[in-house]
Amino acid sequence: MSSNPAIHGRAPAGTGGPVKAVRLTLALSAALLAGLAVTGVFSTTVGGLFSPGQSARAGAGQIPYAPRQLVVSSAEPLTALVAYIRSHTGIDVQPSGQGSDAPGEQILELPASQSVTAAASALRALPGIAYAVPNYIAKAAGRWIPNDPGSSGRVGGWERLQWNFTAPDGIDAPRAWGNLIADHRPGARGVVIAVLDSGVAYRNWGTFKRSPDFGGTKFIAPCDLVAGTIKDGVCTNRFPLDRLGHGTFVAGTIAEATNNGFGLTGLAYNASIMPVRVLDATGAGTSSTIAEGVRYAVAHGAQVINLSIEFPPGTTSGEIPDLISAINYAHAKGVVVVASAGNDYNTSVDFPAAAPAVIAVGATTKDRCLAAYSDTGKALDLVAPGGGDDSSTIHTANCHPARNLPDIYQMTFANQATAAKAVNVDAFALQSGWFGTSMAAPDVSSAAAMVIASGVLGAHPTPDAILARLEATARHLSGATLNQKYGYGLLNIGAATAKGGPLTPTTPVTTTTTTTTTTCTTTTTTPTSTTPTATTPTGTATPSAATAPKSGKQTGTTPVCATTTTTTTPTTTTTPTTTTTTTTPTTETTTTTTAA
């Protein structure tokens, strides 16, 4: 069996199935290659392209901010920071006297004649300044609607395409955006999210062009582990440029520039993206490369790692011990790891999402129904919009398998790769035809970053606490609190980032009275209770990934001497789960595999 994973999306036209280990499910049929794009910044013409040379210009709906104030993050103490800024920019900043709860964050006051936005730009250019932004003001309404036009040419037109971000069919991003603005951490400012994928169109270099809607996105510690490696702790190739479009799409979902009057929105739009290329131009990568990428991301300050990749169905943890070890290491270091469940129509979740220390994410449609392709099973934690059509296996009122439902949109290359054609790395569009659990996973990665930034779980929440919060605030689908089709339900970022609310989910607990006659020395009657394991929700790393239970999944015990057992009718109650963090990193072994 191959240990090469694949990205999650639609199968290439005419392949009829997997192409060795590549399984390029994102390449599109010819009928969809025209895409949905715009000509120019605000044109509504379908089929046009965004030029990489276009600058995303600001619109009228900018977020209001406090006059004469900047929020600045640096490792320097306040006095040294003020002196450093004055000497390097000539701007006479002063301490504002206002404190900040965020580590390393200071609120500085500017001269009355100084432009706030110009000062922010000047400070961001200084080495050692993690971020410098205006002190944004939240509206009382609690929701924030950016001005990005999408393909409509009108302010706020992004909602027409990004149904996955809005309520009730999506994840309620506007409420979450408003929550974080009120917390003075708009767009998860200060949080680092590593995107381990096919690379990202994050900069201009040779024939490669930066995606035009990454103009305001911050990228840090880039590394190409397909063309390079890690030597003495240093990445030997610092240019993880996308050759496929998949990584650019995922990174855009997380942190595409937002409220800039151009293109679409990103969920955690002020987070820093760490692009790490672990998949080649065909969308395949080895377990050892991905494991190296996970460890690199942890070493360089990632707080969340997104893995929109899957290994072939049937792959076991024992076949990818290097990656399981790296994931356990990340979890032990407090890093949230998110992965897509898989697009195989299967009743089991693929690795790496099936690993206990990973948040496994399935996909839903605009009907809030399970997507037809989405893998399910005991390892599933949450679902998020992945687009495409409804599953025919779900028989509820909101599922309509015969309907033709919308895809997921984000800016990426104008033409996707096929077996016979490479992408154009300098042309971008809002392309149709993208759906899959790859599109759902970055929603959850963004949500994790936004929960961290919101402070609702404190300054340094553990991966288990973050997962518990996301599960506790999810919208239940298909009736049961926890089920193998939807996990704990549809991600709700608005609720997850709001003050108060539940910190842990509820799980059904079945209590059974069992009468056991033994052949040892006595006959006894003993009540037993089958409950979720102590290490719940998912995210607890254990030495043996093959035997570690997932969130809310139940384990039992086998009596040693029993020969006859009679069980009474069970009763079910609902109790909150217990979140316990127990991490044991395993020893890494690196294995490079080839396509079968």
Short mmCIF file of all heavy atoms in Angstrom, two decimals, residues 17 25-26 41 51 63 93 113 119 171 216 233 243 246 265 268-269 284 353 377 418 432 504-505 562 574:
data_model
loop_
_atom_site.label_atom_id
_atom_site.label_comp_id
_atom_site.label_asym_id
_atom_site.label_seq_id
_atom_site.Cartn_x
_atom_site.Cartn_y
_atom_site.Cartn_z
N GLY A 17 -11.15 7.22 -11.61
CA GLY A 17 -10.76 6.79 -10.27
C GLY A 17 -9.37 7.25 -9.94
O GLY A 17 -8.82 8.14 -10.56
N THR A 25 -8.05 14.76 -6.68
CA THR A 25 -9.48 14.95 -6.68
C THR A 25 -9.90 16.39 -6.85
O THR A 25 -11.08 16.69 -6.83
CB THR A 25 -10.06 14.43 -5.37
OG1 THR A 25 -9.32 15.00 -4.30
CG2 THR A 25 -9.96 12.92 -5.30
N LEU A 26 -8.95 17.30 -7.00
CA LEU A 26 -9.37 18.69 -7.15
C LEU A 26 -9.41 19.14 -8.60
O LEU A 26 -10.01 20.14 -8.92
CB LEU A 26 -8.45 19.62 -6.37
CG LEU A 26 -7.00 19.71 -6.81
CD1 LEU A 26 -6.84 20.72 -7.93
CD2 LEU A 26 -6.15 20.12 -5.63
N VAL A 41 -11.33 44.96 -11.32
CA VAL A 41 -11.60 44.88 -9.90
C VAL A 41 -13.07 44.72 -9.59
O VAL A 41 -13.46 43.92 -8.77
CB VAL A 41 -11.04 46.13 -9.19
CG1 VAL A 41 -11.34 46.07 -7.71
CG2 VAL A 41 -9.54 46.24 -9.40
N SER A 51 -5.83 40.08 -12.63
CA SER A 51 -4.42 40.24 -12.95
C SER A 51 -3.61 40.29 -11.68
O SER A 51 -3.96 41.01 -10.75
CB SER A 51 -4.21 41.52 -13.75
OG SER A 51 -2.84 41.87 -13.76
N ILE A 63 -13.12 49.40 8.84
CA ILE A 63 -13.46 49.25 10.25
C ILE A 63 -13.08 50.54 10.98
O ILE A 63 -11.97 51.04 10.81
CB ILE A 63 -12.68 48.09 10.87
CG1 ILE A 63 -12.73 46.86 9.97
CG2 ILE A 63 -13.21 47.76 12.26
CD1 ILE A 63 -11.83 45.74 10.43
N VAL A 93 6.06 58.27 19.12
CA VAL A 93 5.06 57.48 19.82
C VAL A 93 5.23 57.64 21.33
O VAL A 93 6.34 57.91 21.82
CB VAL A 93 5.14 55.99 19.44
CG1 VAL A 93 4.82 55.79 17.98
CG2 VAL A 93 6.51 55.41 19.77
N SER A 113 -0.95 64.88 14.56
CA SER A 113 -0.80 65.10 13.12
C SER A 113 -0.45 63.84 12.35
O SER A 113 -0.40 63.86 11.12
CB SER A 113 0.29 66.15 12.88
OG SER A 113 1.53 65.71 13.42
N ALA A 119 1.32 55.23 10.00
CA ALA A 119 2.20 54.82 11.09
C ALA A 119 2.20 53.30 11.25
O ALA A 119 3.24 52.69 11.48
CB ALA A 119 1.76 55.47 12.39
N ILE A 171 -20.91 28.85 8.68
CA ILE A 171 -20.29 28.80 10.01
C ILE A 171 -20.42 30.10 10.79
O ILE A 171 -19.84 30.23 11.86
CB ILE A 171 -18.81 28.40 9.88
CG1 ILE A 171 -18.07 29.37 8.97
CG2 ILE A 171 -18.70 26.97 9.35
CD1 ILE A 171 -16.60 29.06 8.79
N GLY A 216 -2.68 42.03 1.69
CA GLY A 216 -2.60 42.39 3.09
C GLY A 216 -2.34 41.21 4.00
O GLY A 216 -2.42 41.33 5.23
N GLY A 233 18.44 22.53 11.43
CA GLY A 233 17.33 23.35 11.88
C GLY A 233 16.91 24.45 10.94
O GLY A 233 16.00 25.23 11.24
N ARG A 243 2.36 25.12 -7.30
CA ARG A 243 2.31 24.70 -8.71
C ARG A 243 0.97 24.07 -9.06
O ARG A 243 0.78 23.59 -10.16
CB ARG A 243 3.39 23.65 -8.99
CG ARG A 243 4.80 24.19 -9.23
CD ARG A 243 5.54 24.38 -7.95
NE ARG A 243 6.98 24.51 -8.19
CZ ARG A 243 7.82 25.01 -7.29
NH1 ARG A 243 7.37 25.42 -6.11
NH2 ARG A 243 9.11 25.09 -7.56
N HIS A 246 -4.10 24.23 -5.05
CA HIS A 246 -4.79 23.72 -3.87
C HIS A 246 -4.36 24.45 -2.61
O HIS A 246 -5.19 24.92 -1.81
CB HIS A 246 -4.53 22.22 -3.74
CG HIS A 246 -5.31 21.54 -2.67
ND1 HIS A 246 -4.83 21.38 -1.39
CD2 HIS A 246 -6.54 20.97 -2.68
CE1 HIS A 246 -5.73 20.75 -0.66
NE2 HIS A 246 -6.78 20.48 -1.42
N THR A 265 -13.31 37.06 1.00
CA THR A 265 -12.85 37.25 2.37
C THR A 265 -12.10 36.01 2.85
O THR A 265 -12.24 34.92 2.30
CB THR A 265 -14.03 37.50 3.32
OG1 THR A 265 -14.85 36.32 3.38
CG2 THR A 265 -14.89 38.66 2.84
N ALA A 268 -9.71 33.94 9.18
CA ALA A 268 -8.77 34.50 10.16
C ALA A 268 -7.83 35.45 9.42
O ALA A 268 -6.62 35.24 9.32
CB ALA A 268 -8.00 33.38 10.85
N TYR A 269 -8.40 36.53 8.89
CA TYR A 269 -7.73 37.35 7.89
C TYR A 269 -6.52 38.12 8.41
O TYR A 269 -5.71 38.60 7.62
CB TYR A 269 -8.73 38.33 7.26
CG TYR A 269 -9.47 39.21 8.25
CD1 TYR A 269 -8.92 40.40 8.70
CD2 TYR A 269 -10.72 38.84 8.73
CE1 TYR A 269 -9.59 41.19 9.62
CE2 TYR A 269 -11.40 39.62 9.65
CZ TYR A 269 -10.83 40.80 10.09
OH TYR A 269 -11.51 41.59 10.99
N ALA A 284 0.88 14.98 -4.61
CA ALA A 284 1.30 13.84 -3.80
C ALA A 284 2.50 14.21 -2.94
O ALA A 284 3.31 15.07 -3.30
CB ALA A 284 1.67 12.65 -4.69
N ALA A 353 -6.28 12.32 9.46
CA ALA A 353 -7.40 12.80 10.28
C ALA A 353 -7.80 11.78 11.34
O ALA A 353 -8.30 12.15 12.40
CB ALA A 353 -8.60 13.14 9.40
N GLY A 377 -17.57 8.18 10.24
CA GLY A 377 -17.08 7.15 11.14
C GLY A 377 -16.82 7.65 12.53
O GLY A 377 -17.02 8.82 12.85
N THR A 418 -4.41 19.32 -14.64
CA THR A 418 -4.94 18.02 -15.02
C THR A 418 -3.76 17.11 -15.33
O THR A 418 -2.60 17.53 -15.26
CB THR A 418 -5.85 18.12 -16.27
OG1 THR A 418 -5.04 18.52 -17.39
CG2 THR A 418 -6.96 19.13 -16.06
N SER A 432 -14.95 28.03 -10.13
CA SER A 432 -15.94 27.05 -9.65
C SER A 432 -15.34 25.66 -9.70
O SER A 432 -14.26 25.43 -10.24
CB SER A 432 -17.20 27.11 -10.52
OG SER A 432 -16.92 26.68 -11.84
N THR A 504 -17.41 22.38 27.25
CA THR A 504 -17.27 20.98 26.85
C THR A 504 -18.58 20.49 26.26
O THR A 504 -19.66 20.95 26.66
CB THR A 504 -16.90 20.08 28.05
OG1 THR A 504 -17.89 20.22 29.07
CG2 THR A 504 -15.54 20.46 28.60
N PRO A 505 -18.53 19.57 25.30
CA PRO A 505 -19.75 19.05 24.68
C PRO A 505 -20.43 18.05 25.59
O PRO A 505 -19.89 17.63 26.61
CB PRO A 505 -19.24 18.39 23.40
CG PRO A 505 -17.86 17.93 23.77
CD PRO A 505 -17.32 18.98 24.72
N ALA A 562 -15.47 -14.74 32.99
CA ALA A 562 -16.89 -14.87 32.69
C ALA A 562 -17.16 -15.99 31.69
O ALA A 562 -16.42 -16.17 30.73
CB ALA A 562 -17.43 -13.57 32.13
N THR A 574 -27.52 12.03 29.41
CA THR A 574 -26.55 12.89 28.75
C THR A 574 -25.73 13.62 29.79
O THR A 574 -26.29 14.28 30.66
CB THR A 574 -27.24 13.91 27.84
OG1 THR A 574 -27.97 13.20 26.86
CG2 THR A 574 -26.23 14.82 27.16
#
